[in-house]
Amino acid sequence: MSAVLPHPGARRAGPLARRAARAPRSLGRVLAGTTTVFLLSSLLTFGLGAVSDANPAAAVLGETATAADIARLDHEFGLDRPLPAQYGDWLVHAAGGDLGISWFTTVPVADSIATALPVDLSIAGLALLLAVLLGGAAGIAAALSNGGRLDRAVTAVCTLLGTLPAFVIAIGLITLVAVQLRLLPSGGYVPFSQQPGEWLRFALLPALALSLDAAAGIARQLRTSLVAELRRNYATGALMRGLSGRRVLFGHALRNAAGPAVTVLGMSVPVLIGGAVVTERIFNLPGIAQLSLRAAEQHDVPVIQGTLLVTVAVVLVANLAVDALLFALNPAARRGPRPGGRAVAAAASGPATATGPTAASGPTAGPATGGAR
């Protein structure tokens, strides 16, 4: 009795259909986790403002304010209501883009954040781009020179950069590039929408100061994972079949090795935001970190809550983008083990581990390769 083999198209359609069915579930889990983290962060943000000893009515009215005046202003701010009611009302308005009004300037918090946030987003975006370019190039070069002088030099430089805070790098760049070489300005900011060239001149130094630590992490992770990928059977087999080293590197190994580096890139977003507090002060940037710092000095709770909530939202959106990129690079990471996966992997890796003429060419290579497919 002869066995009936399924059509090759049907065999390929099964995994594709399962992958398409798993994608919405994976996306739903990520969105549910992100929503939970956002709600918990909003509760913590509001709670920190609620338990603070700031008295906005007394601060706004001054020392001559009477108890009746303070009670009246507390009623206008809604501070005389229960905390759960205040939190629910604040969260509903925040979801609609209304983050309240500053206690001292009476300017809507959303307007202040809309003015300051593009500064940080533009600097952080340029810093991430520099980190990807510098870290990716260094990691690839170190992996190709595995154990050589270039590999050791890249490792030493990355280790040194990983120990230096952003403000130390910023001061060093100002001293060298702005003061001694006079190539770039030492501070200030010009919006990209007005003069893109001037924006780049003013944004390059702070972006470079923020990007070097992330570039060092990307280079280390990419170098380690890329060395491991280039030693795998599929890379060796591709070289034996006549594929060029460049095609194996950029067409196969780099995509499989990029996962840890992309994860480091996503983890760098909170670091960039945290380092912006000092970097904005050094480079005199009118960003959201300086807005938060001024609000903290004045005990302006609505501004503090609004900036923290927006910062959390930016970090969560960045994490979602990283998860989507990881899913695109390696969908198998979201699927988990399949029944019979070990047998399929063994069958697929068997011919690649063979050496000699049989693995490269000859009559016996055809059936083995076909069975692996």
Side-chain angles (χ1 to χ4, degrees), residues 43-373:
L43 180 61
L44 180 61
T45 300
F46 181 83
L48 291 176
V51 301
S52 64
D53 57 352
N55 190 340
V60 172
L61 296 176
E63 299 179 356
T64 60
T66 62
D69 294 334
I70 294 177
R72 175 181 55 81
L73 199 57
D74 283 340
H75 180 71
E76 292 180 3
F77 288 152
L79 301 177
D80 56 348
R81 295 184 302 165
L83 289 179
Q86 294 184 39
Y87 170 71
D89 186 63
W90 175 75
L91 186 61
V92 170
H93 284 82
D98 182 10
L99 298 175
I101 298 176
S102 171
W103 287 345
F104 295 91
T105 63
T106 67
V107 176
V109 177
D111 293 346
S112 300
I113 294 177
T115 303
L117 186 60
V119 178
D120 293 273
L121 292 181
S122 62
I123 299 296
L126 182 59
L128 290 177
L129 178 62
L130 292 175
V132 171
L133 295 178
L134 297 176
I140 293 174
L144 295 179
S145 178
N146 183 25
R149 294 181 179 180
L150 181 58
D151 183 19
R152 292 193 295 267
V154 169
T155 302
V157 172
C158 290
T159 303
L160 177 62
L161 292 177
T163 60
L164 294 178
F167 73 91
V168 175
I169 299 176
I171 295 175
L173 289 175
I174 291 176
T175 304
L176 176 62
V177 180
V179 177
Q180 295 184 1
L181 300 178
R182 298 182 180 180
L183 297 177
L184 295 172
S186 61
Y189 182 78
V190 175
F192 180 83
S193 58
Q194 294 182 5
Q195 296 180 359
E198 289 297 313
W199 167 83
L200 183 60
R201 291 185 68 249
F202 282 94
L204 192 56
L205 278 186
L208 185 60
L210 290 174
S211 67
L212 290 181
D213 179 64
I218 292 174
R220 286 196 297 262
Q221 293 294 332
L222 185 60
R223 180 260 175 203
T224 302
S225 56
L226 191 55
V227 167
E229 288 295 327
L230 291 176
R231 291 175 177 174
R232 292 172 66 96
N233 292 333
Y234 76 89
T236 304
L239 292 174
M240 292 176 61
R241 290 177 175 86
L243 271 69
S244 64
R246 178 177 298 180
R247 183 175 178 182
V248 173
L249 173 63
F250 293 102
H252 303 281
L254 185 59
R255 174 170 180 166
N256 295 331
V262 172
T263 304
V264 171
L265 186 64
M267 295 172 59
S268 301
V269 176
V271 178
L272 293 178
I273 296 176
V277 177
V278 180
T279 306
E280 287 181 6
R281 178 63 65 91
I282 293 176
F283 291 99
N284 193 23
L285 299 174
I288 197 172
Q290 294 303 307
L291 178 64
S292 304
L293 185 59
R294 289 193 301 268
E297 293 174 350
Q298 297 176 346
H299 298 283
D300 198 346
V301 175
V303 177
I304 297 174
Q305 291 175 338
T307 53
L308 287 178
L309 189 66
V310 170
T311 301
V312 170
V314 170
V315 172
L316 291 179
V317 170
N319 289 336
L320 284 176
V322 169
D323 288 339
L325 185 56
L326 288 174
F327 186 87
L329 290 174
N330 187 14
R334 299 290 184 188
R335 293 201 301 266
R338 293 183 300 174
R342 292 184 179 180
V344 174
S349 60
T353 56
T355 59
T358 304
S361 60
T364 59
T369 307
R373 288 197 301 264

Side-chain angles (χ1 to χ4, degrees), residues 9-25 327 335 338:
R11 288 185 295 178
R12 288 194 297 267
L16 291 177
R18 288 193 297 267
R19 183 183 302 179
R22 292 187 183 99
R25 293 198 296 267
F327 186 87
R335 293 201 301 266
R338 293 183 300 174

Side-chain angles (χ1 to χ4, degrees), residues 1-6:
M1 180 181 296
S2 60
V4 178
L5 296 178

